[in-house]
Structure formats: structure tokens, C-alpha cells
Amino acid sequence: MDTVFEKGVTREDQEMRKLQAETYKLLIESLKVNQERRWHPFIVTTAFFAAGAAFIKVLDMFFKG
């Protein structure tokens, strides 16, 4: 016999609701990761340009000094 925690709600119903909530949470997190993934190439490219500019500036200071 199922234990009733809430009126009319069985343990299986509660477990189903919990699994649905966890599934929804994972779906939202995966959507967030996919949105962030689109920006990754732009961030990496910007970092390479900044590193290149810093390297050129250091070389410029080294050869002028």
C-alpha cells in the first residue's frame, strides 16, 4: 500500500514530480550552456588579439629602450 504524504498524492506521484523538476532543471542548464558556447570563439579571438598587441608593445619597448 502506498504511503500518502499529501491528500490524494501517492509516493510515486511525488517521485514523478521530483524527476520532472530535475529534468526541467537540466534542460534549462543545457540551454544556458549552449547560449554561452556561441560566445566562446569571440572571446578566444579577442584574447589572442590582446595578447598579440601586448607582445608587440613589449617588443617595441625592448627594441626602443
Side-chain angles (χ1 to χ4, degrees):
M1 178 178 234
D2 294 329
T3 305
V4 177
F5 294 103
E6 296 176 23
K7 188 174 184 179
V9 179
T10 63
R11 176 175 283 164
E12 286 82 14
D13 290 337
Q14 289 178 342
E15 290 176 5
M16 182 64 73
R17 288 180 186 176
K18 182 180 177 184
L19 289 173
Q20 287 173 341
E22 290 174 357
T23 302
Y24 181 73
K25 182 180 176 184
L26 288 173
L27 175 66
I28 297 300
E29 289 177 4
S30 67
L31 290 173
K32 182 180 176 184
V33 167
N34 285 336
Q35 287 175 350
E36 291 173 353
R37 186 184 63 168
R38 285 187 228 148
W39 288 100
H40 188 263
F42 299 110
I43 294 169
V44 170
T45 302
T46 302
F48 278 126
F49 275 116
F55 182 70
I56 290 172
K57 186 171 183 170
V58 167
L59 286 179
D60 187 46
M61 289 173 29
F62 180 72
F63 286 116
K64 281 187 177 180

